[in-house]
Each structure stands twice: as C-alpha cells, then as structure tokens.
Amino acid sequence: MKAQSAIEFLATYGFLFIILATAIILITLLATSTGVAVQSQCASFGTVSCNYVDYYIGNGYSLLLFSITNSQAAPVNVISVNATINSKTWNGLCEPGFLMPGAEATCVVNLPRQGNIGGSESGFYTVNAEYCNAGVGSLNSVECSYEPALYSGSFYTYVSDTKAAVFSVSVARAPSSLQIVPYNGVPQIPSGYQVMQNGDLVAASNALGFGYAYGSGGFVGLDHLGIRTIPFPASLSVLSDSAACSQPYNSLYSVAYSVFYVNSPTRVGISAYSNNAIDVYYQYGGSGVWDSMFQSSLWNSNGNNEGGAYVSLASGLYGIAVASAEECGPGVQALAVNGLS
C-alpha cells in the first residue's frame, strides 16, 4: 500500500517537481551568467506599488531612489520612508507626501557610500503612512480622518555613477469658467480642480545638478535653460493639448515633485521657464514648510516667464516641486538646478 501511494504521489506531482527544478536552474544561471543583464526591479507587498528603482554612488555617499504609486481607492499620507540593506536601515524622504488614488511619489534614501559601480544591491523598503478613511472626496489632508498603514516591498538594482532625477506629476483641469489659474502659495492641487492624469517626468542629471524641458506644439525642439525641449510623455499627454484662449476654458494646472540631496552646505542655483505661469518650491527634509523661489513674479501669461536665483542650503534631503499652468495655446515648462555638492 505504501509503495502504491508513493507511486501515485510521484505520478501526480512528479511533473510539477521537474518544472520547479528547471525554474530554479534557470534562475541560478541568469543570476550567475555574465552574459545576461537582469534589469533593476522593485516589488511591493501591498496596495502602494513600486514603479522604478535606482542606486547611485556619489562622493562619499549613496542614494537609493524609487518611485511609488497609490494604487488603492483612498488617499494616503506618507509619514516616513526607509530602506534596509544588509540588515542596516536608513531613513529617506518622499514627495509629494499626500497621494490621491493613482498619484505617484518619488522617494530618496541617503546612505553611506557602499557597493561597487557595476555591482548590485538588494533590500527592502518601508513606507510608514496613514490612509484617509473619508474616501476619494477628500482632496487634502485636512479633510481626512486617518487610519495607520504600513506599506513595504523589495528591490534589486545595479549600482551606477549616474544620478537619476524623476519627478512625480499630477495634472488637473481648472473650472471651465477660469482661464487664469490663481497663484498658490503651496504646491498642491486646489479644491474644485479635476485630476486628469498622473505620471512622471525624467530629468537629465549629473553629479552637480539636473533639469528638464518638456513642451508641446512649436516649443518642441527649442532650447530652454540650455536644455532641448522634448514632448510630454504619454502618461501626461493631456499637457500636450492646447489650452482654449476663450470660454469655455480648459486651463491645466500641474505639480511635479521630486527629491534631491545636498552633500555639504552650498549655494544652489534654480532656474525656471514657461510660456504661461510657473513657480518652484523647496522644503527641507519633509518639514512641511515650502519656500517659493519666485513668489508670483513668474505667475502670469505674458508668454515669456523666465527667472533664476540662488539659495543657500544646508546638507540633507530636500523636496522640490514645480507648479505650472497652461492657460492659452500650447505649453512648455523647464527647470534647471545647478551647484549641488
């Protein structure tokens, strides 16, 4: 009877064992073969998903960057974020801190310099947050009643000496009776605006700074702030539409968030350009206090809003946000940050 049971067991599950063994062998070969490139990847263990991961080695420090999306039906408020590699944990910063359903955030964790360029790093990330149990009708954190939540995931990424700069973007349409989008002292979607798309913009970067220029219509191909303007990505295609110059208006308001690191105290130059309205904000370490670079001086529709200024920053992680409005015709927005240490 025992022999018969063993034979039946092997007949039933033997094929599955063969498939499993083959899969293990293939994974081992892929992981050890020098001729096969395994792309960086991250995986989430909950309803806040991971989109992208990058690991950068700088001058005496390392930066882990990853992008997350709120994939659940309720807004989420991010309290803190950390990453664990080789049983050691370091804290970071995510921007924006308040995520509507479908919205993205860019997170950066500063670590001591470790790893080798061309090598790989793997570990886990944790997002300590709270979700809004008031539902999708709540457009900001004030309207929410919160419940604690913990979101986590794993990552595997190659180590590079090229710094990544990714901006998480939300685009909203203003009420049809409104052409000129009023200046806002903080970078957030105003109440009464309809969120149209969520996506990301990738900036060109080096050890000393980063920048981007995205536009539509005749702006594509032109240089702004020394950067060649390229079309908006498909995930933010609504920004490629021309805004109506007469009623009913379809003006757009977008906010692009990211995080950058200052290795030692320095003066950082920040420049912006738009044919409509634009402003740049920054805050230290998730303090919740946003400083404006240009106030309302670039927030108008004169067709050529360009400005630049320097700001002295202490070492640490900083949130940065670019608010822009398209109020008539095609649009362009450009940002340049220089002087990072």
Side-chain angles (χ1 to χ4, degrees):
M1 292 292 293
K2 291 182 178 179
Q4 182 178 353
S5 298
I7 293 172
E8 291 177 350
F9 178 83
L10 290 174
T12 303
Y13 297 102
F15 187 66
L16 293 177
F17 289 147
I18 293 173
I19 293 176
L20 180 60
T22 303
I24 293 174
I25 292 171
L26 287 174
I27 292 172
T28 302
L29 289 173
L30 288 174
T32 58
S33 172
T34 58
V36 178
V38 180
Q39 293 184 347
S40 298
Q41 52 191 305
C42 55
S44 59
F45 303 150
T47 52
V48 172
S49 57
C50 184
N51 314 312
Y52 173 84
V53 63
D54 180 86
Y55 193 97
Y56 165 77
I57 284 187
N59 183 22
Y61 66 95
S62 303
L63 297 177
L64 175 71
L65 180 150
F66 59 97
S67 171
I68 58 175
T69 296
N70 177 17
S71 301
Q72 59 189 17
V76 169
N77 186 47
V78 176
I79 298 174
S80 63
V81 62
N82 61 62
T84 301
I85 300 176
N86 296 329
S87 301
K88 295 182 179 180
T89 301
W90 295 272
N91 297 323
L93 176 65
C94 293
E95 293 293 354
F98 185 77
L99 301 178
M100 290 294 291
E104 297 185 14
T106 298
C107 304
V108 172
V109 178
N110 169 229
L111 314 93
R113 180 184 171 94
Q114 62 180 45
N116 299 308
I117 296 173
S120 62
E121 291 288 347
S122 60
F124 302 90
Y125 70 86
T126 300
V127 178
N128 181 28
E130 49 192 9
Y131 73 90
C132 175
N133 60 16
V136 296
S138 299
L139 290 179
N140 57 62
S141 57
V142 176
E143 300 171 357
C144 286
S145 176
Y146 287 115
E147 297 289 342
L150 194 67
Y151 307 99
S152 60
S154 63
F155 61 86
Y156 175 91
T157 181
Y158 283 101
V159 179
S160 172
D161 58 354
T162 302
K163 187 184 300 182
V166 178
F167 283 77
S168 298
V169 187
S170 291
V171 184
R173 191 170 308 280
S176 60
S177 60
L178 186 67
Q179 180 184 19
I180 307 300
V181 177
Y183 176 74
N184 198 356
V186 292
Q188 66 182 31
I189 304 294
S191 179
Y193 286 47
Q194 180 186 4
V195 176
M196 304 295 294
Q197 288 180 329
N198 294 288
D200 50 67
L201 299 176
V202 178
S205 63
N206 54 43
L208 300 179
F210 54 89
Y212 68 77
Y214 285 90
S216 60
F219 292 105
V220 175
L222 301 180
D223 287 346
H224 295 295
L225 307 180
I227 306 170
R228 181 61 56 91
T229 303
I230 60 177
F232 290 103
S235 62
L236 302 171
S237 59
V238 67
L239 288 172
S240 298
D241 298 337
S242 291
C245 299
S246 59
Q247 284 189 297
Y249 301 113
N250 61 345
S251 298
L252 294 172
Y253 178 82
S254 66
V255 186
Y257 299 88
S258 192
V259 177
F260 67 92
Y261 177 67
V262 177
N263 189 34
S264 58
T266 187
R267 292 181 75 233
V268 177
I270 300 179
S271 302
Y273 173 85
S274 175
N275 67 314
N276 282 251
I278 195 168
D279 196 12
V280 181
Y281 307 81
Y282 66 94
Q283 68 165 333
Y284 176 75
S287 65
V289 179
W290 289 97
D291 290 307
S292 166
M293 285 299 300
F294 307 109
Q295 301 296 327
S296 57
S297 61
L298 303 182
W299 202 265
N300 55 70
S301 302
N302 64 14
N304 187 26
N305 290 309
E306 182 174 348
Y310 283 89
V311 58
S312 295
L313 300 179
S315 59
L317 290 170
Y318 285 83
I320 184 171
V322 181
S324 181
E326 292 187 15
E327 301 166 334
C328 180
V332 59
Q333 55 176 279
L335 169 75
V337 177
N338 297 290
L340 297 180
S341 56

